[in-house]
Amino acid sequence: MQIVIDSLLEGARRATGTVVVIDVFRAFTTAAVLFSRGADKIVMTETVDAAFALRDAGVGSLVIGEIDGVKVPGFDLGNSPYEASQREVTGRTIVQRTSAGTQGIVAALGGADRLYAGALVTAPATARAVLAGAPARTTLVAMGRAGRERTDEDEVCAIHLRNLLEGRPGAVAAVRDLILAGGQIAEFRDPEVAHMHPGDLDICLDIGRYDFAIRVTREDGRPVARPERI
């Protein structure tokens, strides 16, 4: 299997084969939390207007996400894994719009043979799911901040996934330590950055917290995510 690591929105657009779009802080960690709490599916979308339209049309009953990290007015939830962990979502369809993760999913949907939304909390399960498909090529796309600026957590997650895909166990402590040394960590601990809950960090860096991958397929022309257990 050929493994390619790429980055940002342009990387998502050119990704081929089995594609894993990575957003650790925080979109796909939040998605994993919602699935762990019983959400049925997540419809991922590019724009705020599309998210509202899907809710208005009855496609989803809960709309979540952000612009520049901050919850969109009128959305039910922002982009906080901790806040998601406090909500009852059993059986619900959720619409998600974020500045990096869902943008990457929309961009990669056309070129991917199989598509996954990746984060550290689902990394081992994602590697198992990818390997089960026996792809000739896998592209790991680290989305970074708003799909425009590389970030430690997504780039390191891509490397960790590559290690797992190549049969190595990875270095969980080293992954955490390297990310915790990064510049964005201070935002989680700054009370003036209200949209970054301190509880988010503990969840985002709990590597292998969940035993499912997040598989994304095209349904009615839209990317729809569901948990996949291998």
Side-chain angles (χ1 to χ4, degrees):
M1 175 176 54
Q2 179 188 20
I3 301 173
V4 176
I5 295 179
D6 212 331
S7 302
L8 310 180
L9 192 56
E10 288 303 315
R13 290 180 179 136
R14 58 179 166 250
T16 57
T18 292
V19 178
V20 183
V21 175
I22 299 166
D23 189 337
V24 174
F25 289 166
R26 298 164 287 167
F28 298 148
T29 302
T30 300
V33 170
L34 291 167
F35 282 130
S36 78
R37 294 188 60 77
D40 179 51
K41 59 187 175 182
I42 298 176
V43 182
M44 297 182 177
T45 191
E46 190 174 12
T47 68
V48 170
D49 287 345
F52 281 127
L54 288 169
R55 183 173 65 183
D56 292 345
V59 173
S61 61
L62 196 73
V63 179
I64 71 168
E66 46 75 28
I67 295 177
D68 295 330
V70 180
K71 176 185 171 185
V72 177
F75 275 24
D76 300 288
L77 280 174
N79 197 32
S80 167
Y82 177 81
E83 291 177 2
S85 74
Q86 308 303 301
R87 291 295 294 261
E88 174 54 55
V89 295
T90 301
R92 300 184 76 171
T93 295
I94 294 164
V95 179
Q96 184 182 35
R97 185 275 172 197
T98 68
S99 298
T102 68
Q103 308 300 310
I105 289 293
V106 171
L109 188 63
D113 299 328
R114 291 169 67 89
L115 183 57
Y116 292 90
L120 288 170
V121 291
T122 55
T126 301
R128 292 194 300 272
V130 170
L131 290 170
R137 177 185 175 94
T138 295
T139 306
L140 309 173
V141 184
M143 284 307 298
R145 188 188 289 263
R148 299 189 299 268
E149 177 186 350
R150 287 182 172 88
T151 56
D152 291 350
E153 72 281 355
D154 291 346
E155 299 288 335
V156 172
C157 182
I159 293 170
H160 183 60
L161 275 169
R162 184 188 64 190
N163 285 335
L164 297 178
L165 290 170
E166 292 180 343
R168 294 183 293 274
V172 170
V175 167
R176 286 177 50 88
D177 288 347
L178 185 56
I179 294 171
L180 285 169
Q184 192 176 358
I185 299 305
E187 295 180 6
F188 288 98
R189 297 166 177 160
D190 186 345
E192 294 187 4
V193 185
H195 62 276
M196 302 288 276
H197 194 286
D200 289 346
L201 187 59
D202 290 338
I203 298 174
C204 288
L205 298 185
D206 189 3
I207 300 172
R209 181 186 184 103
Y210 301 118
D211 66 349
F212 55 82
I214 298 176
R215 174 78 184 278
V216 183
T217 58
R218 187 191 296 269
E219 299 181 19
D220 297 323
R222 296 184 287 264
V224 178
R226 290 184 172 86
E228 179 177 274
R229 291 178 171 83
I230 301 294

